[in-house]
Amino acid sequence: WQMALSLVEASLAEDSTTSVTTFNIAISVCESSGKLELAIRLLRRMQEVGLKPDVYSYNAVLSACQDAEDWQMGLAIFEEM
């Protein structure tokens, strides 16, 4: 998950070619590593840089919420979809 985060940050620092796919990969890695807070931060960062999260973005974050048994956060994320 650390390498995925580094790649997103490096991509953002280089130029504006960071894509939704780049973020989705990083969010998915965070989800599979049990890093709910980081997955949510990446989702928010994606929105901050002007990218619109897609179904894969939200699915990965919702899966992270499920894994962390954080149904309240999952509901909040679901409602913003």
Side-chain angles (χ1 to χ4, degrees):
W1 65 269
Q2 293 172 337
M3 182 171 278
L5 182 60
S6 295
L7 290 173
V8 169
E9 291 302 324
S11 178
L12 287 170
E14 283 183 20
D15 54 34
S16 61
T17 61
T18 305
S19 68
V20 171
T21 302
T22 303
F23 273 97
N24 286 350
I25 291 167
I27 292 169
S28 292
V29 168
C30 291
E31 179 263 323
S32 64
S33 300
K35 302 291 183 186
L36 172 59
E37 296 296 325
L38 188 53
I40 292 169
R41 277 194 282 156
L42 284 168
L43 183 74
R44 299 294 178 238
R45 182 77 172 121
M46 174 191 273
Q47 295 165 325
E48 288 171 7
V49 299
L51 295 173
K52 185 175 186 210
D54 62 13
V55 66
Y56 299 105
S57 313
Y58 284 112
N59 187 52
V61 174
L62 288 172
S63 289
C65 291
Q66 178 183 356
D67 293 344
E69 297 180 1
D70 190 341
W71 65 268
Q72 292 172 320
M73 180 57 70
L75 183 59
I77 297 292
F78 182 76
E79 288 176 346
E80 80 177 47
M81 291 176 63

